[in-house]
């Protein structure tokens, strides 16, 4: 299934979160407060002390492929969409520069900071619907109605 609603103008939002905050919850609260309907991550830098990610081998029936990280990690990449059921992927590096990444499940407890630039496709709305082919809720892109 492919979902596309054409082009859109872009709004840009920048925010910084601080030590001890949980990044996913902060991002979701920011999106809700600003009433963003088609938000996505443009860039993010920061560091975390914990993270829970689902690894690439997971399927809809085998969701046990989860990694619980604890320690100090740099966020070297964070990408994805932030509709109510956020779909984010993260890449983290440890003190030796080794990287690990996967689908964000939560527990992104900030160590020092997270500087995040978000984009919003102003003319679109992102939702998620269960895709029987993948077994996961997948992105649906629709034109934003005039009432929104």
């Amino acid at each position: 299934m492919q979902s596309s609603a054409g082009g859109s103008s872009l709004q840009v939002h920048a925010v910084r979160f601080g030590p001890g905050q949980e990044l996913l919850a902060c991002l979701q609260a920011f999106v809700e407060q600003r009433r963003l309907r088609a938000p996505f991550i443009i860039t993010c830098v920061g560091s975390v002390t914990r993270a829970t990610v689902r690894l690439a081998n997971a399927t809809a029936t085998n969701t046990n492929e989860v990694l619980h990280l604890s320690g100090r990690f740099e966020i070297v990449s964070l990408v994805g969409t932030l509709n109510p059921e956020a779909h984010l992927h993260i890449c983290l590096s440890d003190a030796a520069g080794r990287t690990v990444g996967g689908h964000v499940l939560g527990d992104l407890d900030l160590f020092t900071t997270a500087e995040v630039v978000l984009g919003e496709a102003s003319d679109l709305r992102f939702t998620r619907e269960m895709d029987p082919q993948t077994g996961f809720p997948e992105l649906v892109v629709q034109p934003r109605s005039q009432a929104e």
Side-chain angles (χ1 to χ4, degrees):
M1 176 166 71
Q2 191 171 1
S3 179
S4 176
S8 177
S9 57
L10 173 67
Q11 285 281 342
V12 177
H13 306 268
V15 63
R16 185 176 79 80
F17 303 109
Q21 292 185 286
E22 199 284 316
L23 182 56
L24 180 56
C26 288
L27 288 169
Q28 288 173 318
F30 183 86
V31 164
E32 186 63 31
Q33 289 166 358
R34 300 285 175 106
R35 300 188 64 207
L36 306 181
R37 297 296 172 244
F40 56 93
I41 303 290
I42 295 174
T43 189
C44 173
V45 295
S47 59
V48 297
T49 58
R50 284 189 336 146
T52 301
V53 297
R54 187 180 67 222
L55 301 175
N57 199 36
T59 64
T61 57
N62 174 22
T63 57
N64 295 328
E65 300 289 329
V66 173
L67 186 60
H68 300 277
L69 299 170
S70 182
R72 292 183 181 167
F73 298 90
E74 289 290 323
I75 300 169
V76 295
S77 178
L78 180 67
V79 297
T81 56
L82 280 162
N83 50 307
E85 293 183 54
H87 186 190
L88 299 178
H89 287 197
I90 195 165
C91 183
L92 301 166
S93 71
D94 66 15
R98 292 179 298 251
T99 59
V100 64
H103 175 90
V104 172
L105 294 177
D107 299 327
L108 295 176
D109 295 343
L110 295 177
F111 174 52
T112 56
T113 191
E115 302 167 5
V116 186
V117 180
L118 300 169
E120 182 188 25
S122 304
D123 305 316
L124 303 176
R125 181 168 51 97
F126 294 165
T127 59
R128 294 207 165 270
E129 292 179 9
M130 185 57 71
D131 183 330
Q133 199 170 23
T134 68
F136 289 105
E138 301 292 358
L139 180 67
V140 176
V141 181
Q142 300 171 322
R144 189 176 303 190
S145 71
Q146 297 294 348
E148 288 186 71

